[in-house]
Amino acid sequence: MNILVYSFNDKIGDGLQKITFLQKLKDIFPSSLIYYTTSQTTTLKDKLNPLVKDIIHTFIEHNKIESSIFSLFKKSDKFPKIKFDLIIDLQKVVLRTLSLKKIPHHKFFSATANFLFSDFKNNKNLEFKNIYIEQFYFNILSIIKNELIKKIPNINVPINNTIPEIISNKSKNIAIAPGAGNAIRQWKFDNYLQIAKKLRSQNYNIYFFLGPNEKPFLDICLNNKFICPEWENGEIISTDISFTMNLAKKMSCLLCNDGGTAWMFEFAGVKTLKLFGVTNERKFSRPGFSQAIQIKDFGYKELNDFPISKYEEILYRFLEN
């Protein structure tokens, strides 16, 4: 059985949100060959690949499926010359869905336009709007399987034995991830630095988790005597996703923006206090593992206008729970 799964683009957070979906899809169709395709790129092919290397048969990036009327008249040479048994559309932009449906197939799933183009219909009346994104994917599986999947399983994270020693009591270890995929989703780094100093004065052990884009903050953290456990001698120690997720398990919680590191912690079973501005906290907070702060609920429009005093007030309640 050949299955084609389509997503527009996957940064780290986008890819992590799909891991349980792909693992479950392989459970449902164990003998299938799963092709995974994107209009742009996917971190499932590189950074997240240790989590799906035994699931995805072939990756097809830059597949020429676009949200353009002209793409409907273009023929893509990116796909194998086969008729897929099942195509699963994970997005809901009409023009992309129509382009995707041109690929030869037996069955086609898409929630676009209230299932207008889909061979599968929402007979179970499951939610597909304004819900947590992982639940969106599992509702897809429930319809395809024609059986309600009630529980979303945890990701199977491979053990990584190369992580550095993290000192002392885990309950006192607090991680901070000041980055995000887009600057518009980032609270000021200096705000997190001030929070870190206050927490350290209260005998917490603070660790900064910095991605490659946050390298400019590395010296500031080190000069302020904070540990950045993913870095050594100015270089990232490992790009293996299991490295960071196993490090995460040494922490009691993470303070963060809506970024990829937050998802690594949440899927590693570690709770986050996640700051939201432009993105939807209902869709991008993993239930049971994320407490969201939506600045709009407090009357703020810009993330960097959100005051440290209000953040601290919420933070200390979070740490008490």
Side-chain angles (χ1 to χ4, degrees), residues 174-192:
I174 296 178
I176 296 178
N182 191 312
I184 199 171
R185 291 189 273 123
Q186 296 178 20
W187 202 34
K188 290 178 184 176
F189 171 77
D190 188 60
N191 291 345
Y192 280 117

Side-chain angles (χ1 to χ4, degrees), residues 10 30 50 127 133 283:
D10 297 321
E127 289 292 333
I133 192 65
K283 290 178 67 176

Side-chain angles (χ1 to χ4, degrees), residues 40-59:
Q40 297 183 1
T41 59
T42 177
T43 50
L44 293 168
K45 186 179 178 181
D46 42 54
K47 294 176 183 176
L48 302 181
N49 193 253
L51 302 176
V52 295
K53 60 184 176 65
D54 297 324
I55 297 172
I56 304 300
H57 173 65
T58 302
F59 288 97

Side-chain angles (χ1 to χ4, degrees), residues 6-7 14 16 63 100 112 147 175 205 227 243 247 255 257 289-290 315:
Y6 170 61
S7 174
D14 306 306
L16 278 168
N63 58 21
L100 182 66
T112 300
E147 178 183 324
N205 307 308
I227 295 173
F243 177 80
L247 267 178
L255 315 182
N257 306 306
F289 294 97
S290 178
L315 168 62

Side-chain angles (χ1 to χ4, degrees), residues 218-281:
L218 180 61
D219 285 342
I220 299 173
C221 292
L222 297 178
N223 290 338
N224 281 277
K225 309 300 181 186
F226 290 111
I227 295 173
C228 303
E230 299 168 288
W231 292 78
E232 187 174 62
N233 299 322
E235 301 293 334
I236 290 278
I237 296 172
S238 175
T239 56
D240 188 328
I241 186 70
S242 68
F243 177 80
T244 300
M245 293 182 80
N246 277 276
L247 267 178
K249 291 180 179 182
K250 301 290 185 180
M251 302 290 144
S252 66
C253 64
L254 173 73
L255 315 182
C256 57
N257 306 306
D258 177 25
T261 302
W263 288 107
M264 294 185 210
F265 274 70
E266 289 168 24
F267 282 109
V270 180
K271 291 187 177 182
T272 66
L273 181 63
K274 191 185 293 188
L275 196 55
F276 287 88
V278 296
T279 46
N280 185 327
E281 72 280 6

